[in-house]
Amino acid sequence: MAATGRVLSTAEERREAVLSTAVSSFAARGYYGTNTTEVAKRAGISQAYVYRLFPNKEALFVAVVEHCFDLVRDSFARGAAKARSAEPHEVLMAMGDEYAKLIADQDLLLVQVHAQAAAASEPSVREVVQRSYARTVEYVRSVSGADADAIQYFMARGALCHLVVAIGATEIDAPWANTLSAGLRHY
C-alpha cells in the first residue's frame, strides 16, 4: 500500500486545535449561545470527535477558560522578564503592559467576559474561574513581590481594561469614556 503523504495529528494536537477554534466560537456567542456542532464544523472535525476529546460542552468551555488563563499567566511571565527592575511596582507595570498586548486579541478578552458572566449561574464555570483567578493572583504575588493592596489594584485595573476594551471606550471622545480609559494602555 502506498503512503499518501498525509500526516495524522495526535489527539493532543487535535485537542489544542479544537481549543483554539472553541475560543473564537465562545468569544463570538458566549457559553449559552455556542454549541459543539458549530465548534466541530469550524475545527473541521465531526461533533463525535469533539465529544471524544471533551465529554460535553461544559467540559469544553472549562478547558477553554483554563487555556485563556494560561495565556494570561504566560503574558505576565513575559512582562515580569521585561521589568526594568525587581521593584514590585515596576514588575506589575511590565506585567500589565504585556497583558494589554494580549487582550488586543478580542477573542481572549471576550472569553474572559463570557466566563465571568456564566460563572454567576454555572457552578463548574464558577469553580474554574475561581481556581484560575486564585492561581493568577498567587502567581502575580510570587513574581512581583507586591503586597495585597497593590495586587488588588493591579487586578482591578485589569478588570477596568476589560470593560474599556469590551465597550470600545477608547474610540469615544466623551468625558465619561475619557475618565474610564485615562492612563490605560491598549494595543
Side-chain angles (χ1 to χ4, degrees):
M1 182 175 226
T4 63
R6 182 174 176 220
V7 178
L8 299 176
S9 61
T10 66
E12 187 56 34
E13 290 169 334
R14 246 337 163 178
R15 187 177 192 283
E16 290 301 314
V18 170
L19 278 177
S20 293
T21 300
V23 166
S24 61
S25 295
F26 284 118
R29 299 176 48 116
Y31 176 70
Y32 298 105
T34 302
N35 60 53
T36 56
T37 303
E38 174 187 336
V39 173
K41 185 176 180 179
R42 291 177 86 171
I45 60 176
S46 69
Q47 185 178 24
Y49 197 75
V50 170
Y51 284 122
R52 280 187 61 199
L53 298 171
F54 304 94
N56 53 42
K57 179 176 92 168
E58 183 177 292
L60 175 58
F61 187 69
V62 164
V64 164
V65 171
E66 288 174 331
H67 172 73
C68 289
F69 272 94
D70 289 344
L71 294 174
V72 169
R73 273 191 308 285
D74 291 347
S75 77
F76 287 170
R78 284 190 306 278
K82 293 178 182 177
R84 295 184 304 199
S85 77
E87 195 270 317
H89 176 75
E90 290 295 327
V91 175
L92 291 175
M93 292 297 289
M95 291 168 74
D97 190 54
E98 284 299 312
Y99 182 70
K101 292 175 186 172
L102 180 69
I103 64 169
D105 172 357
Q106 292 282 313
D107 285 352
L108 183 122
L109 172 108
L110 290 172
V111 166
Q112 290 179 314
V113 171
H114 286 302
Q116 291 168 2
S121 60
E122 296 294 331
S124 64
V125 176
R126 182 179 311 115
E127 288 172 17
V128 74
V129 171
Q130 288 173 343
R131 188 172 59 246
S132 296
Y133 267 105
R135 282 195 331 248
T136 302
V137 168
E138 292 312 316
Y139 179 79
V140 170
R141 184 187 323 277
S142 70
V143 171
S144 71
D147 65 21
D149 288 341
I151 294 168
Q152 182 188 45
Y153 180 79
F154 175 76
M155 298 300 290
R157 230 171 131 81
L160 180 58
C161 284
H162 283 187
L163 173 68
V164 166
V165 172
I167 66 171
T170 58
E171 299 162 17
I172 300 169
D173 187 17
W176 70 268
N178 295 333
T179 298
L180 287 179
S181 59
L184 299 180
R185 179 178 301 173
H186 295 99
Y187 295 91

